[in-house]
């Protein structure tokens, strides 16, 4: 379903009032349905100057400051699963843990990313906190 989300969002990205060019984001959130313990909700996004003028059918969210662990996912977008696995291994050894809350991960697709080919790489951002006692 994620490619379908981007196919629907891609044509409207540049038409969103106040959109800040240069990057697009994939937001991975804990499922809104608390009984779904093995999935996540996914949203395609862009930064905007204001949430006040969003067109009908487009939602906005503010992401507050937090500490992020950032992982490079080079090459094709299909490599993102391996990057997430490496991020999990790093977290297990780092003295940090994923921050609890709805935000599980952000994919950052910079200007070098080509949505048509899936090439150009991206970054995976995971919100983290220090382990208790670390």
């Amino acid at each position: 379903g994620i490619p379908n989300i981007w196919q629907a969002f891609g044509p409207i990205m540049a038409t969103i009032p106040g959109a800040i060019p240069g990057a697009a984001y994939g937001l991975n959130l804990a499922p809104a349905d608390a009984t779904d313990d093995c999935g996540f909700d996914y949203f395609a996004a862009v930064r905007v100057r204001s949430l006040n003028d969003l067109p009908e059918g487009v939602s906005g969210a503010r992401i507050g400051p937090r500490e992020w662990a950032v992982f490079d996912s080079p090459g094709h977008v299909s490599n993102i699963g391996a990057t997430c696995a490496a991020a999990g291994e790093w977290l297990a050894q780092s003295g940090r843990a994923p921050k609890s809350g709805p935000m599980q991960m952000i994919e950052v697709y910079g200007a070098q990313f080509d949505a048509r080919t899936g090439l150009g790489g991206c970054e995976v951002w995971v919100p983290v906190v220090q382990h208790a006692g670390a």
Side-chain angles (χ1 to χ4, degrees):
I2 292 175
N4 293 338
I5 292 169
W6 283 104
Q7 286 176 351
F9 187 65
I12 66 167
M13 280 177 28
T15 67
I16 296 174
I20 299 171
Y25 305 86
L27 308 179
N28 295 261
L29 306 173
D33 177 0
T35 62
D36 184 2
D37 62 352
C38 62
F40 58 91
D41 290 333
Y42 187 91
F43 299 89
V46 293
R47 285 181 60 206
V48 294
R49 289 179 181 80
S50 171
L51 297 177
N52 294 334
D53 298 321
L54 297 178
E56 187 174 330
V58 175
S59 299
R62 286 184 175 81
I63 299 173
R66 62 196 71 202
E67 182 180 357
W68 298 93
V70 178
F71 304 90
D72 188 40
S73 185
H76 194 270
V77 69
S78 62
N79 295 334
I80 203 163
T83 301
C84 292
E89 291 174 16
W90 178 86
L91 282 168
Q93 300 172 10
S94 70
R96 290 179 172 79
K99 181 177 177 152
S100 64
M103 179 63 62
Q104 294 181 329
M105 181 178 86
I106 296 178
E107 303 159 6
V108 181
Y109 297 94
Q112 75 285 358
F113 183 75
D114 184 339
R116 290 169 294 143
T117 65
L119 294 170
C122 67
E123 292 178 339
V124 172
W125 293 28
V126 179
V128 295
V129 295
Q130 286 290 118
H131 272 301

